[in-house]
Amino acid sequence: MTIFDIIQNALHERTLVSIILSGIRDKNLNYSRIDIRPVMIGGVYMLQFVKNIDNKDIHENLQTDQGYELIRDLLENTFRNFNVVTTDRHVNGLVSKKKKITFKTLVFDKEIDLNLSHNKRKDYIIPDHKPCVFLHHLGVMDANGKVYKSKYDKFRQINKFLEIMDHIISSEMIGDRMRIIDFGCGKAYLTFAVYYYFKEVLKKNVFITGLDLKEDVVGFCNTTAAALGYENLVFKREDIRDYSTKDPVDMVITLHACDTATDAALVKAIKWQAKYILSVPCCQHEMFDKIRNADLQPMLDQGLIKERLSSLVTDTLRVLFLQKEGYDVSTIEFISMEHTPKNLMLRGLKKNIDRNLYQKQYNDFKKFWSLEDVFIEEFYEKELKNDES
Ligand SMILES: C[S@@+](CC[C@H](N)C(=O)[O-])C[C@H]1O[C@@H](n2cnc3c(N)ncnc32)[C@H](O)[C@@H]1O
């Protein structure tokens, strides 16, 4: 194992404690060492580089990939000595002029407890380093339970979804049987995870349907469910808008269902009076061409600002729509993602709330933004008409 493997693994597993690079080759530089440590910024695990210049600490925070590349470059070109401490070892080494790296490793008898909330390894509902058959089958972890680096974001994402689910469901509300629909399930990492969670963790009788437009993906998911013996997990190739069922639905979930597919899913959930809705919307285009407000014109003149604003308007309208239909709704940060605005989750619980209040707010909000011909509303009306006929 090279020093670069050790650093990469420590970043991947979040076990890095610190790195010190010293013995600078170029004496003209105005610092002599760099101290590096992991930090959590806005929920994102990053690397902080600290240089002392003229008795002042200069901080720079980098994403881990970028930080790793910089460490590599600094080790190969700028410093002679390094000290790397992880929770289970201390590595101390030298880089020769010819870039040959030698080091000694001291493995600790007992792992250091980082005891820092920002870089403590997280206890996930589905843990890393423990074999989990469906995750292995889907190519998220190896047979020994180690999550592949390229799949770590997905792994974290599904665990976070399960964590939120775990917080909202109460045993009285789920009863013995639970029926869930995952709209726009794609390759269904989440759908399998939810099935696993109810079946294996909660030991509940669960029936899950995953719906998607893609024939090949649906075929793959059905084959995988059969191979895993997940008999109450089925996948269907169908448009959300056309899907109907006579069975009661307890929960509707969506994860990044594109554009108005999210609205169609919410309408179905309302119509079925699903007890729980967990929905992480995706790219919203509908409102971009619809929002108008003369007082806020400067915000609408800038494409990027208008795009972000229209996305927030869409989600607010969805919240109000759900509220006026009797849902207690919270918007929560689904997962901290550095470069994506797709981290807002709408969490709805069917309750007896004052619908009239929200109907007024809904109407006022539409008026404020001069909104007409809104998809969620039109689709809901259409669904109600279909039911009548
Ligand atoms: C961005 S992917 C997300 C997949 C999965 N939920 C995940 O997060 O990994 C969105 C999925 O929604 C599906 N989709 C989009 N519109 C749909 C519709 N009207 N009916 C059914 N599926 C739809 C797409 O085919 C795609 O697989």
Side-chain angles (χ1 to χ4, degrees):
M1 203 189 260
T2 68
I3 185 63
F4 301 115
D5 294 331
I6 293 172
I7 295 173
Q8 250 189 339
N9 279 350
L11 290 176
H12 173 53
E13 292 175 3
R14 301 196 175 185
T15 52
L16 181 72
V17 177
S18 64
I19 301 177
I20 298 171
L21 305 178
S22 58
I24 200 146
R25 294 185 190 282
D26 182 353
K27 297 286 180 217
N28 294 321
L29 290 174
N30 53 0
Y31 55 90
S32 58
R33 69 181 242 175
I34 296 184
D35 289 60
I36 303 155
R37 67 181 187 99
V39 284
M40 259 346 225
I41 297 177
V44 179
Y45 183 72
M46 299 182 82
L47 284 177
Q48 182 169 79
F49 289 66
V50 184
K51 291 176 192 164
N52 190 286
I53 301 177
D54 296 334
N55 287 329
K56 239 173 103 181
D57 282 345
I58 311 293
H59 296 81
E60 187 182 13
N61 300 319
L62 296 178
Q63 290 160 32
T64 48
D65 284 357
Q66 244 182 320
Y68 169 75
E69 288 308 322
L70 179 59
I71 293 167
R72 216 186 154 105
D73 180 53
L74 290 167
L75 267 173
E76 285 173 344
N77 302 306
T78 312
F79 290 99
R80 282 194 301 272
N81 308 323
F82 59 87
N83 263 285
V84 177
V85 180
T86 70
T87 50
D88 70 348
R89 67 192 61 204
H90 179 189
V91 185
N92 131 12
L94 291 171
V95 188
S96 75
K97 264 193 189 151
K98 290 185 179 163
K99 297 190 182 175
K100 187 167 179 297
I101 298 181
T102 47
F103 60 86
K104 283 189 200 143
T105 304
L106 171 72
V107 176
F108 302 135
D109 293 340
K110 197 169 163 260
E111 276 205 17
I112 298 178
D113 182 2
L114 280 175
N115 203 19
L116 297 169
S117 58
H118 67 254
N119 48 15
K120 209 173 178 181
R121 201 189 285 176
K122 190 143 174 48
D123 290 332
Y124 289 125
I125 288 180
I126 305 177
D128 191 359
H129 293 284
K130 191 171 166 210
C132 174
V133 178
F134 88 87
L135 284 179
H136 178 45
H137 219 94
L138 291 176
V140 175
M141 59 168 54
D142 65 20
N144 300 318
K146 187 168 181 344
V147 175
Y148 296 115
K149 190 172 179 235
S150 60
K151 293 289 181 199
Y152 217 90
D153 281 348
K154 198 78 210 167
F155 175 75
R156 206 175 288 131
Q157 198 183 57
I158 57 177
N159 263 302
K160 180 70 189 198
F161 209 107
L162 295 185
E163 202 178 287
I164 294 170
M165 207 173 246
D166 191 64
H167 282 148
I168 61 159
I169 50 173
S170 57
S171 47
E172 326 80 80
M173 273 180 97
I174 55 176
D176 285 339
R177 288 160 69 96
M178 185 82 181
R179 192 144 185 282
I180 301 172
I181 315 279
D182 181 359
F183 281 128
C185 62
K187 209 177 155 193
Y189 299 98
L190 176 68
T191 336
F192 280 96
V194 173
Y195 189 85
Y196 172 88
Y197 167 71
F198 277 96
K199 193 85 189 163
E200 308 291 337
V201 181
L202 298 184
K203 309 280 182 210
K204 291 281 174 193
N205 212 354
V206 69
F207 296 82
I208 303 188
T209 304
L211 210 85
D212 206 279
L213 291 173
K214 296 178 193 148
E215 189 92 57
D216 54 337
V217 167
V218 167
F220 165 82
C221 291
N222 275 325
T223 311
T224 309
L228 291 164
Y230 286 1
E231 53 196 19
N232 295 334
L233 174 59
V234 290
F235 294 89
K236 294 191 174 158
R237 201 220 77 85
E238 199 169 341
D239 193 308
I240 298 167
R241 286 169 292 192
D242 302 329
Y243 182 75
S244 66
T245 176
K246 292 212 164 13
D247 296 321
V249 175
D250 301 290
M251 181 186 285
V252 166
I253 58 176
T254 72
L255 178 55
H256 300 150
C258 326
D259 200 11
T260 51
T262 296
D263 299 292
L266 297 179
V267 164
K268 296 282 178 180
I270 294 169
K271 199 178 85 162
W272 296 327
Q273 307 221 345
K275 293 185 205 102
Y276 305 97
I277 299 173
L278 291 178
S279 174
V280 182
C282 193
C283 42
Q284 287 96 357
H285 304 300
E286 191 199 355
M287 294 302 159
F288 190 82
D289 295 323
K290 291 187 178 163
I291 48 175
R292 280 180 286 123
N293 182 308
D295 292 336
L296 297 178
Q297 195 54 40
M299 296 183 86
L300 304 179
D301 287 341
Q302 296 296 327
L304 191 61
I305 293 174
K306 185 178 177 191
E307 194 186 303
R308 291 186 186 176
L309 192 61
S310 61
S311 178
L312 291 171
V313 170
T314 312
D315 284 331
T316 310
L317 195 78
R318 285 170 174 155
V319 170
L320 290 168
F321 197 87
L322 286 166
Q323 286 172 326
K324 83 177 180 61
E325 296 304 327
Y327 281 84
D328 179 5
V329 186
S330 319
T331 50
I332 50 178
E333 187 175 62
F334 167 51
I335 197 155
S336 302
M337 286 185 270
E338 295 154 270
H339 293 303
T340 174
K342 300 184 206 167
N343 65 348
L344 184 147
M345 178 189 265
L346 307 181
R347 189 185 60 186
L349 303 180
K350 185 83 183 127
K351 294 239 172 99
N352 289 328
I353 62 169
D354 183 356
R355 292 181 184 211
N356 291 334
L357 167 74
Y358 292 113
Q359 180 68 59
K360 181 172 178 334
Q361 281 194 2
Y362 179 81
N363 295 342
D364 291 348
F365 189 72
K366 271 179 67 188
K367 202 165 155 204
F368 180 84
W369 288 106
S370 314
L371 292 173
E372 283 164 17
D373 307 326
V374 176
F375 176 85
I376 194 167
E377 201 176 308
E378 292 185 346
F379 185 64
Y380 189 46
E381 280 161 18
K382 196 167 143 215
E383 283 287 295
L384 293 181
K385 269 195 200 124
N386 283 349
D387 283 356
E388 280 167 17
S389 58

